[in-house]
Amino acid sequence: GQSLEQPSEVTAVEGAIVQINCTYQTSGFYGLSWYQQHDGGAPTFLSYNALDGLEETGRFSSFLSRSDSYGYLLLQELQMKDSASYFCAVKASGGSYIPTFGRGTSLIVHP
Amino acid sequence: NAGVTQTPKFQVLKTGQSMTLQCAQDMNHNSMYWYRQDPGMGLRLIYYSASEGTTDKGEVPNGYNVSRLNKREFSLRLESAAPSQTSVYFCASSDWGGSTDTQYFGPGTRLTVL
């Protein structure tokens, strides 16, 4: 089977930088995605990494190390609206290439 | 372009009642999915349809059935609802095999079974 681990909660202040880690165990790794979900809303796609390295999209960046089975989402210049849950999801042949989601990290941004 | 739509948005059932959750997408995606989300559990896959005419079980299929009516529509049926099926249900679609396989989610159906 597949498993993902991410912290349940992270807190930070407005304007700061925060990193949300995700470690995974799977067979036939294909890619790692990140999704954001505000309370009462639907998950929305943020980023995807299939190769090692950093992908940058505005204030958000995502990193992957395939050899370490590890990735992280980096949020810079935090804003109050970034308070949300963040999910990593792994895609692998061991899971029929269907994304398997972690349990999510609740990010709380304080003023 | 509405993306992924789901009906109803809210539903309350009594134990043993049946209902069908409807989902439709207008992005011409091949693949569609049904997830349930419970507090602290993330998103768990119930069923998916990789392409029109195929459906497969996910992680938590017991108590559910699905129908891929056509390329646009994918419905989820609860034949005899149980309190354990109280959850938020999300439908999603994606372009299977695409470079990122981004999943697009509907707004969700909040189901309570009494």
Side-chain angles (χ1 to χ4, degrees), chain A residues 72-93:
Chain A
Y72 66 72
L73 181 69
L74 191 73
L75 297 84
Q76 302 182 75
E77 301 172 17
L78 280 174
Q79 303 175 8
M80 297 296 291
K81 67 178 181 180
D82 297 329
S83 292
S85 291
Y86 293 84
F87 296 88
C88 57
V90 67
K91 183 177 174 183
S93 61

Side-chain angles (χ1 to χ4, degrees), chain B residues 10-78:
Chain B
F10 300 92
Q11 185 70 49
V12 178
L13 293 177
K14 294 181 180 178
T15 297
Q17 288 185 317
S18 63
M19 79 162 296
T20 299
L21 283 65
Q22 306 286 354
C23 174
Q25 53 93 8
D26 63 3
M27 294 173 283
N28 202 37
H29 286 159
N30 291 320
S31 304
M32 298 185 74
Y33 315 80
W34 277 105
Y35 292 91
R36 61 177 288 172
Q37 185 173 37
D38 303 295
M41 295 297 292
L43 291 153
R44 292 185 293 171
L45 183 68
I46 305 171
Y47 271 93
Y48 69 98
S49 171
S51 61
E52 188 178 356
T54 69
T55 60
D56 284 287
K57 294 179 181 179
E59 180 186 354
V60 289
N62 291 346
Y64 305 95
N65 285 300
V66 291
S67 295
R68 185 73 184 267
L69 304 169
N70 48 55
K71 192 171 185 179
R72 291 186 63 249
E73 299 173 288
F74 189 38
S75 63
L76 178 72
R77 183 160 178 84
L78 287 71

Side-chain angles (χ1 to χ4, degrees), chain A residues 33 35 37 40-45 48 87 91 96-99 101-104, chain B residues 33 35 37 40-43 45 48 90 96 99-103 105-107 110:
Chain A
S33 301
Y35 288 79
Q37 185 181 30
T44 57
F45 174 80
Y48 176 79
F87 296 88
K91 183 177 174 183
S96 302
Y97 298 103
I98 308 296
F101 286 80
R103 296 193 173 195
Chain B
Y33 315 80
Y35 292 91
Q37 185 173 37
M41 295 297 292
L43 291 153
L45 183 68
Y48 69 98
F90 287 102
W96 186 284
S99 59
T100 63
D101 197 29
T102 301
Q103 292 199 314
F105 286 83
R110 283 144 185 84

